[in-house]
Amino acid sequence: MVEELESVRSRITILEHLLICHFCTHDEVIPYCSFSNVEDPGIGVLSIGYSAVCVTCGCVTEFGDPSGPSEDGVDYIWAFSQTVL
């Protein structure tokens, strides 16, 4: 699994499910990570958002990061897997 997605042409899986375009159903995307201030004005708390641009049609798919500790709290489960094309 990856800690940070690279913004290059790739295939993304989230918890073993392939991320596909909702418009054209292709699976080659360029992922992007965006940061926004969720408290304005405030102390600068940042929220991380993820989106993927389909390389075939240009449709943007937004998704979240379900990474987190396992149910028993022993292991940490990384959700993203990226295959660079």
Side-chain angles (χ1 to χ4, degrees):
M1 300 292 177
V2 293
E3 291 185 37
E4 190 172 314
L5 298 174
E6 294 181 50
S7 294
V8 294
R9 185 180 187 143
S10 54
R11 285 192 175 96
I12 304 294
T13 56
I14 303 172
L15 296 175
E16 307 299 325
H17 295 285
L18 189 62
L19 180 69
I20 60 169
C21 177
H22 297 291
F23 187 72
C24 70
T25 67
H26 284 92
D27 60 359
E28 294 181 11
V29 297
I30 299 175
Y32 292 95
C33 179
S34 61
F35 301 92
S36 60
N37 187 353
V38 295
E39 291 189 16
D40 189 30
I43 58 174
V45 177
L46 296 179
S47 173
I48 301 173
Y50 296 95
S51 57
V53 178
C54 178
V55 297
T56 304
C57 70
C59 183
V60 176
T61 301
E62 294 183 355
F63 57 96
D65 183 4
S67 298
S70 61
E71 290 183 16
D72 59 5
V74 175
D75 297 316
Y76 191 83
I77 300 171
W78 292 106
F80 296 140
S81 178
Q82 180 177 22
T83 305
V84 176
L85 304 175

